[in-house]
Amino acid sequence: MPQTELDALVAGCTRFLRGHRPRSVADQLREIAECPLALKPSDGYGRGGYVAEFEAGIARLLGKEAAVFMPSGTMAQQIALRIWADEARNPVIAYHPTCHLEIHEQMAYRELHHLEAILVGGRDRMFTLADLKAVDRAIGPS
């Protein structure tokens, strides 16, 4: 659907799921300023402040020594892939051709983590077990 059509549909809507209605930047900043968390001290690159409090609370909730907040799921995905690849002593990872890491991250996994990606399956369908079995290189732990 062209963006103009989508914009017209959204403009005609009167009910939205929470967080999905169109909002201006000013409205978003006003909502942030009115939130009680806005009174908390900000963090300084991982030192103190709300993020440190949040991480400590999550660690307590999960019964862990520590927790780390990731500002994006893509960052967390790359870190998880790197940990998995390091443990396996194999830098080869595999994912679908339309994976966010492939189409939006400018090969950051390769540049930052020295990982090598194999695309599995076709862009127009989900990949199958047969697609995975057709990969001729070891992926992750052998």
Side-chain angles (χ1 to χ4, degrees):
M1 172 179 301
Q3 188 63 43
T4 53
E5 276 185 62
L6 184 59
D7 290 342
L9 285 171
V10 170
C13 291
T14 57
R15 298 173 73 191
F16 297 90
L17 296 174
R18 178 160 169 68
H20 289 91
R21 71 187 186 290
R23 299 179 298 162
S24 68
V25 172
D27 287 341
Q28 291 177 42
L29 291 173
R30 201 171 1 268
E31 287 177 29
I32 291 169
E34 292 169 1
C35 174
L37 296 175
L39 300 175
K40 297 249 182 205
S42 63
D43 72 314
Y45 292 102
R47 289 181 304 234
Y50 179 71
V51 174
E53 276 184 44
F54 177 73
E55 290 173 337
I58 295 296
R60 278 191 305 278
L61 181 70
L62 298 175
K64 299 293 182 183
E65 188 176 312
V68 177
F69 171 73
M70 295 290 143
S72 76
T74 303
M75 179 185 290
Q77 287 172 340
Q78 287 186 44
I79 291 168
L81 286 170
R82 171 67 182 273
I83 290 168
W84 184 255
D86 284 355
E87 285 184 13
R89 293 188 172 97
N90 181 355
V92 180
I93 59 175
Y95 50 71
H96 192 270
T98 62
C99 174
H100 189 90
L101 293 171
E102 184 66 20
I103 60 177
H104 295 294
E105 297 301 317
Q106 292 82 40
M107 309 256 182
Y109 62 85
R110 184 179 68 199
E111 300 302 318
L112 298 174
H113 301 289
H114 310 289
L115 300 173
E116 179 186 342
I118 294 175
L119 304 182
V120 179
R123 291 183 63 82
D124 59 345
R125 62 181 176 78
M126 294 179 65
F127 65 79
T128 65
L129 180 57
D131 292 324
L132 280 173
K133 287 181 177 180
V135 174
D136 62 356
R137 296 185 56 202
I139 302 167
S142 300

